[in-house]
Amino acid sequence: MKFEHIEIADKELKFESLHYAAESLGFVHAEQWDYERVMFDLKIHNNQEIYYLRVPAYAIKGDIPKEDTIVKVMTPILGKYYYPHGVEYAGEDFPKTVVEKCNTKLTQLLEAVNK
């Protein structure tokens, strides 16, 4: 599921600002990066199921993880985790509570990076 209605996609930010804002809201960087791309994950437990809200970004000036690197945020996505296969993004019926939590977290992230 894509979260296009929260206008965080296409924002250009310093990596340091995005990193700090995301981690302060519970997103994990977890060394998921190369020099051009980065992913911030929020793990959500709902009953016996696990979901991941992912905020991807890529470097447009500099290299990740340098603090002064400028990154462009991509559209956040929600996926359901299936052991042992991984995360599926399409064809899922996501619980309303999970979607609401994602909307709240993404709104908070947008507010934090706009300060």
Side-chain angles (χ1 to χ4, degrees):
M1 172 179 199
K2 292 185 177 185
F3 290 86
E4 296 169 334
H5 62 282
I6 299 193
E7 297 177 359
I8 196 164
D10 297 326
K11 288 232 177 252
E12 295 179 5
L13 310 161
K14 279 191 174 181
F15 173 74
E16 174 185 37
S17 300
L18 178 59
H19 187 246
Y20 176 79
E23 288 197 343
S24 70
L25 291 168
F27 288 84
V28 176
H29 180 220
E31 305 304 320
Q32 296 181 44
W33 59 273
D34 58 25
Y35 295 105
E36 297 174 354
R37 297 169 296 186
V38 65
M39 185 82 68
F40 295 94
D41 286 344
L42 180 68
K43 187 175 185 180
I44 301 169
H45 293 272
N46 186 56
N47 298 325
Q48 298 297 320
E49 299 174 321
I50 298 173
Y51 299 88
Y52 284 95
L53 173 59
R54 295 190 151 166
V55 179
Y58 63 94
I60 57 174
K61 182 180 178 188
D63 293 326
I64 295 169
K66 293 180 182 175
E67 295 177 352
D68 61 344
T69 296
I70 303 298
V71 295
K72 188 170 189 174
V73 180
M74 299 167 67
T75 302
I77 52 176
L78 175 63
K80 182 177 179 183
Y81 177 75
Y82 289 95
Y83 178 83
H85 303 292
V87 180
E88 292 291 330
Y89 302 99
E92 295 294 330
D93 186 23
F94 296 103
K96 184 178 179 181
T97 55
V98 172
V99 174
E100 288 172 353
K101 182 171 187 165
C102 293
N103 281 321
T104 299
K105 285 292 184 174
L106 290 171
T107 299
Q108 291 171 337
L109 181 59
L110 180 59
E111 291 170 357
V113 298
N114 280 337
K115 287 183 180 179

